[in-house]
Short mmCIF file of all heavy atoms in Angstrom, two decimals:
data_model
loop_
_atom_site.label_atom_id
_atom_site.label_comp_id
_atom_site.label_asym_id
_atom_site.label_seq_id
_atom_site.Cartn_x
_atom_site.Cartn_y
_atom_site.Cartn_z
N GLN A 1 -10.76 1.88 -17.25
CA GLN A 1 -10.08 1.18 -16.19
C GLN A 1 -9.50 2.21 -15.21
O GLN A 1 -8.90 3.20 -15.59
CB GLN A 1 -8.96 0.32 -16.77
CG GLN A 1 -8.22 -0.41 -15.72
CD GLN A 1 -7.13 -1.29 -16.30
OE1 GLN A 1 -7.00 -1.44 -17.52
NE2 GLN A 1 -6.36 -1.91 -15.47
N LEU A 2 -9.69 1.93 -13.92
CA LEU A 2 -9.19 2.82 -12.89
C LEU A 2 -7.66 2.72 -12.78
O LEU A 2 -7.10 1.65 -12.91
CB LEU A 2 -9.77 2.44 -11.52
CG LEU A 2 -11.23 2.72 -11.27
CD1 LEU A 2 -11.65 2.18 -9.92
CD2 LEU A 2 -11.52 4.21 -11.36
N LYS A 3 -7.03 3.82 -12.52
CA LYS A 3 -5.61 3.85 -12.20
C LYS A 3 -5.49 3.69 -10.71
O LYS A 3 -6.23 4.30 -9.94
CB LYS A 3 -4.99 5.18 -12.60
CG LYS A 3 -5.02 5.48 -14.08
CD LYS A 3 -4.13 4.54 -14.84
CE LYS A 3 -4.18 4.88 -16.31
NZ LYS A 3 -3.38 4.00 -17.10
N THR A 4 -4.59 2.84 -10.23
CA THR A 4 -4.47 2.55 -8.81
C THR A 4 -3.09 2.93 -8.31
O THR A 4 -2.06 2.57 -8.90
CB THR A 4 -4.68 1.05 -8.53
OG1 THR A 4 -5.98 0.68 -9.02
CG2 THR A 4 -4.61 0.74 -7.06
N LEU A 5 -3.06 3.69 -7.22
CA LEU A 5 -1.85 4.02 -6.49
C LEU A 5 -1.87 3.20 -5.21
O LEU A 5 -2.85 3.26 -4.47
CB LEU A 5 -1.81 5.52 -6.16
CG LEU A 5 -0.72 5.95 -5.18
CD1 LEU A 5 0.63 5.88 -5.87
CD2 LEU A 5 -0.98 7.33 -4.66
N THR A 6 -0.84 2.44 -4.95
CA THR A 6 -0.77 1.60 -3.75
C THR A 6 0.12 2.25 -2.69
O THR A 6 1.22 2.66 -3.00
CB THR A 6 -0.23 0.18 -4.09
OG1 THR A 6 -1.09 -0.41 -5.07
CG2 THR A 6 -0.19 -0.69 -2.87
N ALA A 7 -0.39 2.31 -1.48
CA ALA A 7 0.36 2.84 -0.34
C ALA A 7 0.50 1.74 0.70
O ALA A 7 -0.50 1.16 1.15
CB ALA A 7 -0.38 4.03 0.24
N ALA A 8 1.73 1.41 1.06
CA ALA A 8 2.00 0.42 2.10
C ALA A 8 1.77 1.08 3.46
O ALA A 8 2.32 2.15 3.73
CB ALA A 8 3.41 -0.10 1.98
N VAL A 9 0.97 0.44 4.32
CA VAL A 9 0.65 0.99 5.63
C VAL A 9 0.81 -0.08 6.70
O VAL A 9 0.85 -1.27 6.40
CB VAL A 9 -0.79 1.54 5.66
CG1 VAL A 9 -0.95 2.67 4.68
CG2 VAL A 9 -1.83 0.46 5.40
N LYS A 10 0.97 0.35 7.95
CA LYS A 10 1.08 -0.61 9.05
C LYS A 10 -0.22 -1.33 9.32
O LYS A 10 -0.23 -2.53 9.56
CB LYS A 10 1.56 0.11 10.33
CG LYS A 10 2.96 0.62 10.26
CD LYS A 10 3.33 1.34 11.53
CE LYS A 10 4.74 1.93 11.41
NZ LYS A 10 5.10 2.70 12.57
N ALA A 11 -1.31 -0.57 9.33
CA ALA A 11 -2.63 -1.15 9.64
C ALA A 11 -3.66 -0.52 8.71
O ALA A 11 -3.86 0.70 8.73
CB ALA A 11 -2.98 -0.92 11.08
N VAL A 12 -4.34 -1.34 7.95
CA VAL A 12 -5.33 -0.85 7.00
C VAL A 12 -6.46 -0.08 7.68
O VAL A 12 -6.84 1.00 7.23
CB VAL A 12 -5.92 -2.02 6.14
CG1 VAL A 12 -7.12 -1.54 5.35
CG2 VAL A 12 -4.86 -2.54 5.21
N ASP A 13 -6.98 -0.60 8.80
CA ASP A 13 -8.10 0.06 9.46
C ASP A 13 -7.74 1.49 9.91
O ASP A 13 -8.53 2.42 9.75
CB ASP A 13 -8.61 -0.75 10.63
CG ASP A 13 -9.31 -2.05 10.19
OD1 ASP A 13 -9.81 -2.08 9.04
OD2 ASP A 13 -9.35 -2.99 10.98
N ALA A 14 -6.58 1.65 10.49
CA ALA A 14 -6.15 2.96 10.98
C ALA A 14 -5.91 3.92 9.80
O ALA A 14 -6.34 5.08 9.84
CB ALA A 14 -4.88 2.83 11.80
N ALA A 15 -5.27 3.44 8.75
CA ALA A 15 -5.01 4.27 7.57
C ALA A 15 -6.32 4.65 6.88
O ALA A 15 -6.51 5.80 6.48
CB ALA A 15 -4.08 3.57 6.60
N LEU A 16 -7.24 3.69 6.80
CA LEU A 16 -8.55 3.96 6.19
C LEU A 16 -9.29 5.04 6.96
O LEU A 16 -9.82 5.99 6.39
CB LEU A 16 -9.37 2.68 6.13
CG LEU A 16 -10.77 2.77 5.59
CD1 LEU A 16 -10.77 3.28 4.16
CD2 LEU A 16 -11.46 1.42 5.71
N ALA A 17 -9.31 4.94 8.27
CA ALA A 17 -9.99 5.93 9.11
C ALA A 17 -9.36 7.32 8.90
O ALA A 17 -10.08 8.32 8.76
CB ALA A 17 -9.90 5.54 10.58
N THR A 18 -8.04 7.40 8.82
CA THR A 18 -7.36 8.67 8.62
C THR A 18 -7.70 9.27 7.25
O THR A 18 -8.04 10.45 7.15
CB THR A 18 -5.84 8.49 8.74
OG1 THR A 18 -5.54 8.06 10.05
CG2 THR A 18 -5.10 9.81 8.46
N PHE A 19 -7.64 8.46 6.19
CA PHE A 19 -7.92 8.98 4.85
C PHE A 19 -9.37 9.42 4.73
O PHE A 19 -9.66 10.44 4.11
CB PHE A 19 -7.60 7.90 3.78
CG PHE A 19 -6.18 7.97 3.27
CD1 PHE A 19 -5.14 7.49 4.04
CD2 PHE A 19 -5.91 8.49 2.03
CE1 PHE A 19 -3.84 7.54 3.58
CE2 PHE A 19 -4.61 8.55 1.56
CZ PHE A 19 -3.56 8.07 2.33
N GLN A 20 -10.30 8.67 5.32
CA GLN A 20 -11.70 9.06 5.21
C GLN A 20 -11.99 10.31 6.04
O GLN A 20 -12.73 11.17 5.61
CB GLN A 20 -12.60 7.90 5.61
CG GLN A 20 -12.61 6.80 4.56
CD GLN A 20 -13.57 5.68 4.87
OE1 GLN A 20 -13.60 5.17 5.96
NE2 GLN A 20 -14.36 5.33 3.87
N LYS A 21 -11.40 10.41 7.22
CA LYS A 21 -11.60 11.58 8.06
C LYS A 21 -11.02 12.83 7.42
O LYS A 21 -11.66 13.89 7.35
CB LYS A 21 -11.00 11.36 9.43
CG LYS A 21 -11.11 12.53 10.36
CD LYS A 21 -10.42 12.30 11.68
CE LYS A 21 -10.41 13.56 12.53
NZ LYS A 21 -9.54 13.45 13.68
N ASN A 22 -9.79 12.74 6.95
CA ASN A 22 -9.08 13.90 6.42
C ASN A 22 -9.48 14.31 5.01
O ASN A 22 -9.44 15.49 4.67
CB ASN A 22 -7.58 13.68 6.46
CG ASN A 22 -7.03 13.64 7.87
OD1 ASN A 22 -7.63 14.12 8.81
ND2 ASN A 22 -5.88 13.00 8.03
N PHE A 23 -9.85 13.33 4.18
CA PHE A 23 -10.12 13.62 2.78
C PHE A 23 -11.53 13.28 2.31
O PHE A 23 -11.95 13.69 1.24
CB PHE A 23 -9.09 12.91 1.87
CG PHE A 23 -7.68 13.21 2.23
CD1 PHE A 23 -6.88 12.23 2.83
CD2 PHE A 23 -7.13 14.45 2.01
CE1 PHE A 23 -5.56 12.50 3.18
CE2 PHE A 23 -5.81 14.74 2.35
CZ PHE A 23 -5.04 13.75 2.94
N GLY A 24 -12.25 12.44 3.07
CA GLY A 24 -13.62 12.06 2.70
C GLY A 24 -13.71 11.11 1.54
O GLY A 24 -14.78 10.99 0.93
N PHE A 25 -12.63 10.39 1.21
CA PHE A 25 -12.67 9.45 0.09
C PHE A 25 -13.58 8.26 0.44
O PHE A 25 -13.41 7.67 1.52
CB PHE A 25 -11.29 8.90 -0.25
CG PHE A 25 -10.31 9.96 -0.70
CD1 PHE A 25 -8.98 9.87 -0.36
CD2 PHE A 25 -10.71 11.03 -1.49
CE1 PHE A 25 -8.05 10.82 -0.77
CE2 PHE A 25 -9.78 11.99 -1.90
CZ PHE A 25 -8.46 11.86 -1.55
N PRO A 26 -14.49 7.87 -0.43
CA PRO A 26 -15.35 6.73 -0.15
C PRO A 26 -14.60 5.39 -0.32
O PRO A 26 -13.76 5.24 -1.18
CB PRO A 26 -16.49 6.86 -1.15
CG PRO A 26 -15.89 7.62 -2.29
CD PRO A 26 -14.85 8.52 -1.69
N LEU A 27 -15.00 4.44 0.52
CA LEU A 27 -14.45 3.09 0.42
C LEU A 27 -15.12 2.37 -0.72
O LEU A 27 -16.36 2.26 -0.76
CB LEU A 27 -14.68 2.34 1.75
CG LEU A 27 -14.26 0.87 1.78
CD1 LEU A 27 -12.75 0.74 1.63
CD2 LEU A 27 -14.72 0.21 3.06
N ALA A 28 -14.34 1.84 -1.66
CA ALA A 28 -14.87 1.11 -2.80
C ALA A 28 -15.01 -0.39 -2.46
O ALA A 28 -16.02 -1.02 -2.76
CB ALA A 28 -14.01 1.29 -4.03
N ARG A 29 -13.96 -0.93 -1.86
CA ARG A 29 -13.95 -2.36 -1.51
C ARG A 29 -12.81 -2.67 -0.58
O ARG A 29 -11.88 -1.88 -0.46
CB ARG A 29 -13.90 -3.22 -2.76
CG ARG A 29 -12.61 -3.14 -3.52
CD ARG A 29 -12.69 -3.88 -4.86
NE ARG A 29 -11.44 -3.84 -5.58
CZ ARG A 29 -10.97 -2.77 -6.23
NH1 ARG A 29 -11.67 -1.66 -6.27
NH2 ARG A 29 -9.81 -2.82 -6.88
N ARG A 30 -12.88 -3.85 0.04
CA ARG A 30 -11.79 -4.35 0.90
C ARG A 30 -11.46 -5.76 0.48
O ARG A 30 -12.32 -6.49 -0.02
CB ARG A 30 -12.24 -4.36 2.35
CG ARG A 30 -12.48 -2.97 2.92
CD ARG A 30 -12.77 -3.05 4.37
NE ARG A 30 -11.53 -3.39 5.05
CZ ARG A 30 -11.14 -2.87 6.21
NH1 ARG A 30 -11.91 -2.03 6.82
NH2 ARG A 30 -10.02 -3.21 6.74
N THR A 31 -10.21 -6.14 0.67
CA THR A 31 -9.80 -7.52 0.44
C THR A 31 -9.00 -7.99 1.63
O THR A 31 -8.36 -7.21 2.34
CB THR A 31 -8.92 -7.65 -0.85
OG1 THR A 31 -7.73 -6.90 -0.67
CG2 THR A 31 -9.69 -7.15 -2.07
N LEU A 32 -9.00 -9.31 1.84
CA LEU A 32 -8.25 -9.92 2.91
C LEU A 32 -7.77 -11.28 2.40
O LEU A 32 -8.53 -12.04 1.87
CB LEU A 32 -9.14 -10.11 4.15
CG LEU A 32 -8.50 -10.84 5.32
CD1 LEU A 32 -7.32 -10.06 5.87
CD2 LEU A 32 -9.55 -11.04 6.41
N ASP A 33 -6.47 -11.52 2.54
CA ASP A 33 -5.87 -12.80 2.21
C ASP A 33 -5.25 -13.36 3.48
O ASP A 33 -4.11 -13.02 3.84
CB ASP A 33 -4.85 -12.65 1.11
CG ASP A 33 -4.27 -13.97 0.64
OD1 ASP A 33 -4.49 -15.00 1.31
OD2 ASP A 33 -3.57 -13.98 -0.38
N ALA A 34 -6.02 -14.18 4.20
CA ALA A 34 -5.57 -14.72 5.46
C ALA A 34 -4.30 -15.56 5.32
O ALA A 34 -3.46 -15.56 6.21
CB ALA A 34 -6.68 -15.54 6.11
N LYS A 35 -4.17 -16.24 4.19
CA LYS A 35 -2.98 -17.08 3.98
C LYS A 35 -1.69 -16.27 3.96
O LYS A 35 -0.71 -16.67 4.55
CB LYS A 35 -3.14 -17.86 2.66
CG LYS A 35 -2.04 -18.83 2.40
CD LYS A 35 -2.28 -19.61 1.13
CE LYS A 35 -1.13 -20.56 0.85
NZ LYS A 35 -1.32 -21.30 -0.40
N SER A 36 -1.71 -15.13 3.27
CA SER A 36 -0.49 -14.32 3.18
C SER A 36 -0.42 -13.23 4.26
O SER A 36 0.58 -12.57 4.41
CB SER A 36 -0.40 -13.64 1.80
OG SER A 36 -1.39 -12.65 1.68
N GLY A 37 -1.53 -13.05 4.99
CA GLY A 37 -1.57 -12.03 6.03
C GLY A 37 -1.65 -10.62 5.49
O GLY A 37 -1.29 -9.67 6.13
N SER A 38 -2.20 -10.47 4.26
CA SER A 38 -2.32 -9.13 3.68
C SER A 38 -3.76 -8.68 3.67
O SER A 38 -4.70 -9.49 3.55
CB SER A 38 -1.73 -9.08 2.28
OG SER A 38 -2.51 -9.85 1.40
N ALA A 39 -3.94 -7.37 3.77
CA ALA A 39 -5.28 -6.76 3.71
C ALA A 39 -5.16 -5.49 2.91
O ALA A 39 -4.13 -4.81 2.93
CB ALA A 39 -5.79 -6.46 5.12
N SER A 40 -6.24 -5.15 2.20
CA SER A 40 -6.28 -3.90 1.42
C SER A 40 -7.63 -3.23 1.54
O SER A 40 -8.63 -3.89 1.73
CB SER A 40 -6.02 -4.19 -0.06
OG SER A 40 -4.72 -4.65 -0.29
N ALA A 41 -7.61 -1.92 1.42
CA ALA A 41 -8.81 -1.13 1.31
C ALA A 41 -8.61 -0.21 0.12
O ALA A 41 -7.53 0.37 -0.05
CB ALA A 41 -9.05 -0.30 2.57
N PHE A 42 -9.62 -0.08 -0.73
CA PHE A 42 -9.53 0.72 -1.94
C PHE A 42 -10.45 1.94 -1.79
O PHE A 42 -11.63 1.78 -1.53
CB PHE A 42 -9.93 -0.11 -3.15
CG PHE A 42 -8.98 -1.22 -3.45
CD1 PHE A 42 -9.07 -2.43 -2.79
CD2 PHE A 42 -7.99 -1.07 -4.41
CE1 PHE A 42 -8.19 -3.46 -3.08
CE2 PHE A 42 -7.09 -2.09 -4.69
CZ PHE A 42 -7.20 -3.30 -4.03
N LEU A 43 -9.89 3.11 -1.97
CA LEU A 43 -10.64 4.36 -1.89
C LEU A 43 -10.77 4.97 -3.27
O LEU A 43 -9.77 5.08 -3.99
CB LEU A 43 -9.89 5.35 -0.97
CG LEU A 43 -9.60 4.82 0.43
CD1 LEU A 43 -8.61 5.72 1.13
CD2 LEU A 43 -10.89 4.75 1.22
N THR A 44 -11.97 5.35 -3.63
CA THR A 44 -12.22 5.92 -4.94
C THR A 44 -11.98 7.44 -4.93
O THR A 44 -12.44 8.14 -4.04
CB THR A 44 -13.68 5.66 -5.38
OG1 THR A 44 -13.91 4.25 -5.34
CG2 THR A 44 -13.96 6.18 -6.75
N ILE A 45 -11.28 7.90 -5.99
CA ILE A 45 -11.01 9.32 -6.15
C ILE A 45 -11.24 9.61 -7.63
O ILE A 45 -10.31 9.49 -8.44
CB ILE A 45 -9.55 9.68 -5.77
CG1 ILE A 45 -9.24 9.12 -4.39
CG2 ILE A 45 -9.31 11.16 -5.85
CD1 ILE A 45 -7.77 9.05 -4.10
N GLY A 46 -12.43 9.94 -8.02
CA GLY A 46 -12.75 10.19 -9.42
C GLY A 46 -12.47 8.96 -10.26
O GLY A 46 -13.03 7.90 -9.99
N ALA A 47 -11.60 9.08 -11.27
CA ALA A 47 -11.27 7.95 -12.14
C ALA A 47 -10.04 7.20 -11.67
O ALA A 47 -9.41 6.47 -12.43
CB ALA A 47 -11.06 8.46 -13.56
N ALA A 48 -9.71 7.35 -10.41
CA ALA A 48 -8.54 6.68 -9.82
C ALA A 48 -8.91 6.10 -8.47
O ALA A 48 -10.00 6.34 -7.95
CB ALA A 48 -7.37 7.66 -9.68
N GLU A 49 -7.97 5.35 -7.91
CA GLU A 49 -8.20 4.81 -6.56
C GLU A 49 -6.87 4.69 -5.84
O GLU A 49 -5.82 4.57 -6.47
CB GLU A 49 -8.93 3.46 -6.61
CG GLU A 49 -8.18 2.35 -7.27
CD GLU A 49 -8.98 1.06 -7.37
OE1 GLU A 49 -10.14 1.00 -6.97
OE2 GLU A 49 -8.41 0.07 -7.86
N ILE A 50 -6.94 4.76 -4.50
CA ILE A 50 -5.79 4.50 -3.66
C ILE A 50 -6.03 3.19 -2.98
O ILE A 50 -7.09 2.93 -2.40
CB ILE A 50 -5.64 5.61 -2.60
CG1 ILE A 50 -5.30 6.94 -3.23
CG2 ILE A 50 -4.52 5.21 -1.61
CD1 ILE A 50 -5.22 8.09 -2.25
N GLU A 51 -5.03 2.31 -3.07
CA GLU A 51 -5.07 1.04 -2.34
C GLU A 51 -4.22 1.21 -1.09
O GLU A 51 -3.01 1.47 -1.19
CB GLU A 51 -4.53 -0.11 -3.18
CG GLU A 51 -4.45 -1.40 -2.41
CD GLU A 51 -3.73 -2.53 -3.14
OE1 GLU A 51 -3.07 -2.25 -4.17
OE2 GLU A 51 -3.81 -3.67 -2.70
N LEU A 52 -4.81 1.04 0.08
CA LEU A 52 -4.05 1.02 1.33
C LEU A 52 -3.80 -0.44 1.62
O LEU A 52 -4.73 -1.24 1.81
CB LEU A 52 -4.88 1.67 2.45
CG LEU A 52 -5.34 3.10 2.18
CD1 LEU A 52 -6.29 3.56 3.27
CD2 LEU A 52 -4.16 4.04 2.06
N ARG A 53 -2.54 -0.84 1.66
CA ARG A 53 -2.21 -2.27 1.80
C ARG A 53 -1.30 -2.50 2.98
O ARG A 53 -0.31 -1.82 3.16
CB ARG A 53 -1.56 -2.77 0.54
CG ARG A 53 -1.06 -4.22 0.66
CD ARG A 53 -0.51 -4.69 -0.60
NE ARG A 53 -1.51 -5.57 -1.18
CZ ARG A 53 -1.36 -6.24 -2.29
NH1 ARG A 53 -0.26 -6.10 -3.00
NH2 ARG A 53 -2.28 -7.04 -2.72
N SER A 54 -1.64 -3.50 3.79
CA SER A 54 -0.76 -3.93 4.87
C SER A 54 -0.55 -5.43 4.77
O SER A 54 -1.34 -6.15 4.16
CB SER A 54 -1.38 -3.60 6.24
OG SER A 54 -2.53 -4.41 6.47
N SER A 55 0.55 -5.87 5.35
CA SER A 55 0.88 -7.29 5.34
C SER A 55 1.80 -7.60 6.50
O SER A 55 2.56 -6.73 6.94
CB SER A 55 1.57 -7.67 4.02
OG SER A 55 1.84 -9.06 4.00
N THR A 56 1.67 -8.80 7.02
CA THR A 56 2.52 -9.20 8.14
C THR A 56 3.83 -9.81 7.64
O THR A 56 4.77 -9.96 8.43
CB THR A 56 1.77 -10.20 9.03
OG1 THR A 56 1.34 -11.32 8.24
CG2 THR A 56 0.60 -9.55 9.71
N THR A 57 3.88 -10.19 6.36
CA THR A 57 5.09 -10.79 5.79
C THR A 57 5.30 -10.28 4.35
O THR A 57 4.41 -9.66 3.79
CB THR A 57 4.99 -12.34 5.73
OG1 THR A 57 3.90 -12.68 4.89
CG2 THR A 57 4.82 -12.92 7.11
N GLY A 58 6.47 -10.54 3.80
CA GLY A 58 6.71 -10.25 2.39
C GLY A 58 7.13 -8.82 2.12
O GLY A 58 7.48 -8.07 3.03
N PRO A 59 7.11 -8.43 0.84
CA PRO A 59 7.64 -7.13 0.41
C PRO A 59 6.92 -5.95 1.04
O PRO A 59 7.56 -4.93 1.34
CB PRO A 59 7.42 -7.13 -1.11
CG PRO A 59 7.25 -8.54 -1.50
CD PRO A 59 6.72 -9.26 -0.29
N VAL A 60 5.62 -6.01 1.22
CA VAL A 60 4.89 -4.86 1.81
C VAL A 60 5.34 -4.64 3.25
O VAL A 60 5.66 -3.53 3.65
CB VAL A 60 3.35 -5.08 1.75
CG1 VAL A 60 2.63 -3.99 2.50
CG2 VAL A 60 2.89 -5.13 0.30
N ALA A 61 5.43 -5.72 4.04
CA ALA A 61 5.88 -5.59 5.43
C ALA A 61 7.31 -5.10 5.48
O ALA A 61 7.67 -4.25 6.31
CB ALA A 61 5.76 -6.94 6.14
N GLU A 62 8.16 -5.60 4.60
CA GLU A 62 9.55 -5.18 4.55
C GLU A 62 9.67 -3.69 4.20
O GLU A 62 10.50 -2.96 4.75
CB GLU A 62 10.33 -6.03 3.55
CG GLU A 62 10.48 -7.47 4.02
CD GLU A 62 10.99 -8.38 2.93
OE1 GLU A 62 11.38 -7.89 1.83
OE2 GLU A 62 10.99 -9.61 3.14
N SER A 63 8.85 -3.23 3.25
CA SER A 63 8.86 -1.83 2.84
C SER A 63 8.46 -0.91 3.99
O SER A 63 9.11 0.12 4.23
CB SER A 63 7.92 -1.63 1.67
OG SER A 63 7.84 -0.27 1.33
N VAL A 64 7.42 -1.27 4.72
CA VAL A 64 6.95 -0.46 5.84
C VAL A 64 8.01 -0.42 6.92
O VAL A 64 8.29 0.63 7.52
CB VAL A 64 5.60 -0.95 6.38
CG1 VAL A 64 5.24 -0.28 7.72
CG2 VAL A 64 4.51 -0.75 5.36
N THR A 65 8.67 -1.55 7.19
CA THR A 65 9.73 -1.62 8.20
C THR A 65 10.92 -0.73 7.79
O THR A 65 11.45 0.01 8.59
CB THR A 65 10.20 -3.06 8.43
OG1 THR A 65 9.10 -3.84 8.88
CG2 THR A 65 11.31 -3.12 9.43
N ALA A 66 11.32 -0.81 6.53
CA ALA A 66 12.47 -0.08 6.06
C ALA A 66 12.21 1.43 5.84
O ALA A 66 13.05 2.23 6.15
CB ALA A 66 12.98 -0.70 4.74
N ARG A 67 11.03 1.74 5.28
CA ARG A 67 10.77 3.13 4.87
C ARG A 67 9.67 3.83 5.65
O ARG A 67 9.49 5.02 5.48
CB ARG A 67 10.39 3.13 3.40
CG ARG A 67 11.48 2.62 2.51
CD ARG A 67 11.05 2.74 1.05
NE ARG A 67 12.06 2.15 0.21
CZ ARG A 67 11.90 1.04 -0.49
NH1 ARG A 67 10.74 0.42 -0.46
NH2 ARG A 67 12.88 0.57 -1.22
N GLY A 68 8.93 3.09 6.41
CA GLY A 68 7.78 3.67 7.09
C GLY A 68 6.58 3.69 6.18
O GLY A 68 6.63 3.23 5.01
N GLU A 69 5.47 4.20 6.66
CA GLU A 69 4.25 4.24 5.87
C GLU A 69 4.37 5.26 4.76
O GLU A 69 5.03 6.24 4.82
CB GLU A 69 3.05 4.58 6.74
CG GLU A 69 2.75 3.48 7.74
CD GLU A 69 1.50 3.76 8.54
OE1 GLU A 69 1.57 4.58 9.46
OE2 GLU A 69 0.47 3.14 8.25
#
């Protein structure tokens, strides 16, 4: 089972472009939940993955507002 580290970001597409450009991590999958306004992109790093997650409402949005990306 993959270990996942989640990073709250303002915009998944921008964060994904930055991570791929700077580190070359491959995109494993994307998810979108239109009802909650959340989106995620998962980047594979060996036996682990980074989830870049953004949301327009809820805890993720509040975290980005309070603490930044």
Side-chain angles (χ1 to χ4, degrees):
Q1 180 179 355
L2 289 175
K3 298 291 182 182
T4 302
L5 169 71
T6 301
V9 298
K10 291 179 184 176
V12 169
D13 291 335
L16 177 60
T18 298
F19 270 76
Q20 288 185 311
K21 177 183 173 191
N22 293 338
F23 306 109
F25 298 144
L27 176 65
R29 66 187 182 285
R30 293 185 73 140
T31 63
L32 176 63
D33 184 349
K35 184 178 178 182
S36 70
S38 68
S40 293
F42 294 83
L43 303 167
T44 303
I45 309 162
E49 65 184 2
I50 294 176
E51 175 189 12
L52 304 173
R53 174 177 257 184
S54 69
S55 183
T56 55
T57 61
V60 173
E62 292 168 9
S63 175
V64 170
T65 299
R67 298 184 184 112
E69 293 185 283

